[in-house]
Amino acid sequence: MGDEGVALVELAGVSKAYGGVRAVRAVDFTVRAGEVHALLGENGAGKSTLMKVLSGEVAAEQGTIRIAGEAVRFARPADAQRAGVAMIHQELDLVPALSVAENVFLGREPHARGVLDRRRMVAETRQLLARTGVGFDAATPVELLRTGERQLVTIAKALSLDARILIMDEPTSALSPHEVTRLFAVIDQLRRDGVAVVYISHRMEEIGRVADRATVLRNGEVVAEFDARELTAAQAAEAMVGRPVHLMFHAETRATVTEDVLEVADLVVRPRAGRREPAGISLRVGAGEIVGVAGLLGSGRTELLETLYGAGPKGARSGTVRLRGKDFRPRSPRAALRAGVAYVPEDRRVSGLALEHSVLANTVLSIVDKLTRFGLVPAARERGKARETAGRLGVKLTSLADPVGALSGGNQQKVVLGRALLTEPALLLLDEPTRGVDVGAKAEIYRILGEIARTGVGVLLASSEPAELVGVCDRVVVLRGGRSVHELDTALAGEAELLAASMGDVR
Ligand SMILES: Nc1ncnc2c1ncn2[C@@H]1O[C@H](COP(=O)(O)OP(=O)(O)OP(=O)(O)O)[C@@H](O)[C@H]1O
Ligand SMILES: [Mg+2]
């Protein structure tokens, strides 16, 4: 059980502002050796900023850091790493063109007699991957991996540093329940080894399972501390938001389907090298229906949505897709958008947002064509639409002119969703739409999805959270190895059945 009770990390009076935004204010925060300490808070509460101070990426204006009782100053991440601090970032910071092994050892590649020891690098990476139960190889280029797989790579990378303080900023946001279980086993081992773990997550059900203590931030300040084992989701949410929150969501009225918006039959996409692609997917989405897509990593969820959005692999494809009764083969996202299909991608960094551009520009990007009058986009209309969307989704920002990159992770996700809604689609494709979104905003997004469906839009929702699929969807289609293998009616089946079907254990 390590040195239990000893404060390995002590942050005292830490403050950090970005321009006029006070992201973190006078925060005291301690983590003991052998403790998993959850850090909770709404989107923009200051969690990532506080942890970037501890990992040497952001310089605090005020406050002190002590590691094992000794005052330290971190001018850069390398300083923190030397002191034993490693951080798994919320936004995955991998180099796509490099292999998994190269990413894991980036900047500290092993050498033997002056030359790069590639063999050792690959061998050690394989061991690390085995620890997290990963199914892909160390030599795979990261660009061929899906978001959840990339998340596992960043975890392996942090583990390889042998840190005594490990910060995990939303490590499970793209993982399915099966992968989460494996990660928790790794975390339990770290705890036994006496590592201090800071665990940030918006998945409330994880906190009691994995954490010992929980600290809640609100508007940059510590507002509560709990024994994590006894903390209920409702208590946590109330501390985060500052008032009681209704966490329950359920489709109030079930859709009475009059026509199909989308019909997919035996959809097969030509495989890209080394990857499995959807093979034999059949499903339908009626007008006003929310249909879920479930499945483990690599089951074909994302490939399916990308294909429907004209962003899938080019080339031969078999099977049929019909949109509002007509044959549908979009050649590009632009063509799909014009046909009435909107898409919220899984990884907002890769395909979602232009981070250096303003919230305004990112929000209205999708509807510039529609807003244009006589070749000009009226600025007032543009601002009006963007402000309305940001307000509706509760995006926390100072100005629409802020670059999207300055928003917290969850708030970036809301911008992506808002932009898709603005196109007024007939079919809305969502891949992990609440990834990194806080509890209050999640409930709001579910409410909005219900509202949109009631206007006759068909919604196809891919998610790795069984509770979300069962709570929000009318039906859930389960994919395995690129095939649709099962369909559940959520009025009759629950999370347990869904999990069993995803794992291939259908009774
Ligand atoms: N690089 C930056 N430039 C300007 N403002 C920033 C920057 N990074 C964060 N902020 C602001 O600081 C505040 C805290 O952001 P932070 O990313 O720490 O929130 P968070 O608690 O991690 O939220 P989330 O759950 O959405 O990840 C927010 O208001 C955010 O807009
Ligand atoms: Mg964050």
Side-chain angles (χ1 to χ4, degrees), residues 18 21 23 42-49 90 170 202 406-410:
Y18 291 104
V21 182
E42 281 187 287
N43 294 135
K47 305 178 297 293
S48 296
T49 303
Q90 179 174 17
E170 298 189 40
H202 289 292
L407 297 183
S408 75

Side-chain angles (χ1 to χ4, degrees), residues 26-102:
V27 166
D28 296 340
F29 182 68
T30 63
V31 194
R32 298 176 200 131
E35 171 186 67
V36 179
H37 196 136
L39 190 55
L40 308 177
E42 281 187 287
N43 294 135
K47 305 178 297 293
S48 296
T49 303
L50 183 67
M51 288 303 106
K52 284 179 186 167
V53 169
L54 176 57
S55 65
E57 284 155 65
V58 161
E61 277 107 40
Q62 267 152 25
T64 55
I65 306 176
R66 282 172 181 278
I67 306 279
E70 221 174 289
V72 290
R73 242 166 226 294
F74 298 149
R76 57 189 69 80
D79 297 345
Q81 253 175 46
R82 264 192 298 277
V85 182
M87 178 154 170
I88 295 169
H89 286 90
Q90 179 174 17
E91 304 301 343
L92 311 175
D93 45 1
L94 301 170
V95 183
L98 297 182
S99 73
V100 171
E102 285 163 335

